[in-house]
Amino acid sequence: MNEHELRALIENVREGKLPRRRFIERLVSVGLTGPMASMLLMHAGVANAQPAQVYKPTKRGGGGALKALWWQGATLLQPHFANGTKDQEGSRIFYEPLGSWDKDGNLVPILAAEVPTRENGGLSADGKSVTWKLKRGVTWHDGQPFTADDCVFTWEYAKDPATAAVTSGVYKDVQVVKVDSHTIRVTFAKATPFWATAFVAAEGMIIPKHLFGPYAGAKSREAPNNLKPVGTGPYKFVDFKPGDMVRGEINTNYHMPNRPHFDTIEMKGGGDAASAARAVLQTGEYDYAWNLQVEDEVLKRMEEGGKGRAHIIPSGDIEFIMLNQTDPWTEVEGERASIKSKHFAFTDPAVRQAMALLADRAGIQQFIYGRTGVATANFLNNPAKFRSPNTKMEFNVEKANALLEAAGWKKGADGIREKGGKKMKFVYQTSVNGIRQKEQAVIKQACQKAGIDLELKSVTASVFFSSDVANPDTYGKFWCDMQMYTTTMTQPDPERFMDQYRAHEVSSKANKWQGRNIARWRNDEYEKVYAQAEAELDPVKRAAMFIRMNDIVVGDNAIIPLISRPRVRGANHKLMTALTGWDLDFSGLQNWYREA
């Protein structure tokens, strides 16, 4: 299908000549995904079809307790400081954005009265502004009204450098004005094809001005409500023990009819993925378990217990290895891993290439992940439109040895390669997880054959993914040579996902290690292509630009993609969820219920 044919089909949908479902079927038949087809329509300003939620309860409450296991326990409940998924999920129980992404990549309204479109006047023809109409009658959990002032405040709060919000990249380059008490306008400096970032999904949760106003800027970390959320969500805050337990109770004034179904919610942290899977699939002690990064054969055996089953949801999440571009062991002006320093080995392109050759991705998929992961050479894997055909996987120890030898890294008497008095001894860290420790072992074994000594370090997940500025073992600090984790893609468009390699997002002491560029990798061509993609309204050209970005960072071997991970969750057979691969698990929490 060429560009002319695609544009003609989009116009037919706009004019009502072609049903939206038929358009999606046509694009799926030529190799695109349903979410990607929906995104093409959204970029063209065609209104989303808003599918009716399948929700059976006819009254609010009465569902008893919902017990969920998050083996990486939440450590804070402030969405704009939520550096890890666990904290975003804990926050999402209580806070809400204007819109959210469903499983098909459709944008659905939450606190918005409707999704902005060209037809309803919400999207400007030049792509430089979006106008959001807010729901009326919504109140915060303390009874105060939710208004446009809260949205404007959230923007001001997040973009202020003194706040050091992890979401600053979403808000710093836009302008937000109050049109009236329940309308805001978001304005962009240039034509912006993907406008649904600010106030949308995981990074779009809105906080109340009347509670956080006194703690904006430098006082942001002192706010009592960082640990005691007051939101608009389906559940009200009851109790929080960081790293352990989040408890909520029904919001009887929730703004959606007959919702929520459950009277209370419990988000239990700690333990590990295997024990979480067992508690849902085998014993039925819990209703739901997040992120079942467990060997597939183990999951299948647990499912035989009959209490629950694994849900495998397509997504853009990626398990990958990050090679530090800076020196994590030496302080420069009082900062470890300073951008002003260089790693003694990983700034050598030959070393990075050798490390990529020592990753047995196919073996990791076959023997560890099974149906729960796909070996990949790409960082950006989904939607399919953005997947590069230009990369390749290669596991070759002999080739890695030859590269290192030619680059002057010679084996010493102990068999470890060295150059300039520096030995190839690296600390390789990840979170405590059975699968991850096996992945580490696979990489270590291959590295040993190449004369590289890896010290394997495992950090408790609640610590590793914490945003605690005093903690030396967080992944955001990256105070070691290599690290591995999964980064999540929380929208069916890669713009926010790929900003992890932009220079202004470098994680540093100055931004309290909240920057998204944790690898501290920088590349001028990447910056140029990203800037072009931000303003490119043609979806075909824009997709090519993101493919190019993927190829630049992967080709430089600054990171080593391992496994494209669908989201694997466990649920009781009677629990009806609204899971999506493009937003948080709890993004549809108001629609969860238990069948009789």
Side-chain angles (χ1 to χ4, degrees), residues 53 66 167 206 211 271 285 422 459 463 466 478 532 536 578:
Q53 294 286 347
L66 173 64
T167 56
I206 298 163
L211 295 178
E285 181 184 358
K422 289 276 195 176
V459 182
V463 173
S466 168
F478 193 10
Q532 291 172 339
E536 180 53 67

Side-chain angles (χ1 to χ4, degrees), residues 95 138-146 150 206-208 210 230-232:
Y95 294 108
V138 178
T139 59
W140 296 99
H141 292 156
D142 61 2
Q144 293 294 311
F146 162 72
D150 297 302
I206 298 163
I207 58 177
H210 66 281
V230 174
T232 59

Side-chain angles (χ1 to χ4, degrees), residues 366-399:
Q366 181 179 355
F367 297 109
I368 300 176
Y369 278 89
R371 63 183 168 151
T372 67
V374 179
T376 182
N378 287 317
F379 183 76
L380 177 56
N381 289 275
N382 283 311
K385 178 73 174 178
F386 299 110
R387 188 183 305 142
S388 173
N390 308 318
T391 59
K392 66 175 183 177
M393 295 185 298
E394 184 179 5
F395 175 54
N396 193 323
V397 177
E398 290 183 5
K399 190 173 178 179

Side-chain angles (χ1 to χ4, degrees), residues 48-51 53 98-102 106-112 115:
N48 279 330
Q50 298 300 337
Q53 294 286 347
L98 295 184
S100 179
W101 300 105
D102 72 7
N106 293 313
L107 184 59
V108 296
I110 302 296
L111 288 175
V115 172

Side-chain angles (χ1 to χ4, degrees), residues 72-95 157 205-208 212 221 223-231 236-248 267 467 586:
Q72 294 176 11
T75 55
L76 56 81
L77 299 175
Q78 218 292 21
H80 297 281
F81 297 153
N83 208 356
T85 307
K86 60 184 176 48
D87 295 329
Q88 291 177 326
E89 294 282 6
S91 300
R92 190 63 181 82
I93 296 172
F94 311 105
Y95 294 108
Y157 178 93
M205 287 181 259
I206 298 163
I207 58 177
F212 285 95
R221 303 284 165 163
N225 295 104
N226 288 342
L227 298 176
K228 296 180 179 181
V230 174
K236 297 170 66 173
F237 176 78
V238 172
D239 186 41
F240 177 42
K241 293 180 176 61
D244 178 26
M245 181 73 75
V246 180
R247 287 192 175 95
M267 179 184 176
S467 55
F586 280 161

Side-chain angles (χ1 to χ4, degrees), residues 357-360 395 397 400-401 440-452 454:
L357 289 167
L358 294 170
D360 184 7
F395 175 54
V397 177
N401 266 308
Q440 281 183 310
V442 170
I443 303 297
K444 179 180 175 72
Q445 184 179 43
C447 284
Q448 283 176 330
K449 295 176 181 178
I452 300 170
L454 297 186

Side-chain angles (χ1 to χ4, degrees), residues 33 40 47 109 150 172 177 200 275 278 283 304 469 473 480 566 592:
T33 64
L40 287 172
D150 297 302
K172 69 182 183 63
V177 297
V200 172
S275 61
R278 190 175 302 110
T283 69
E304 293 173 359
V469 295
D473 289 327
C480 66
W592 290 26

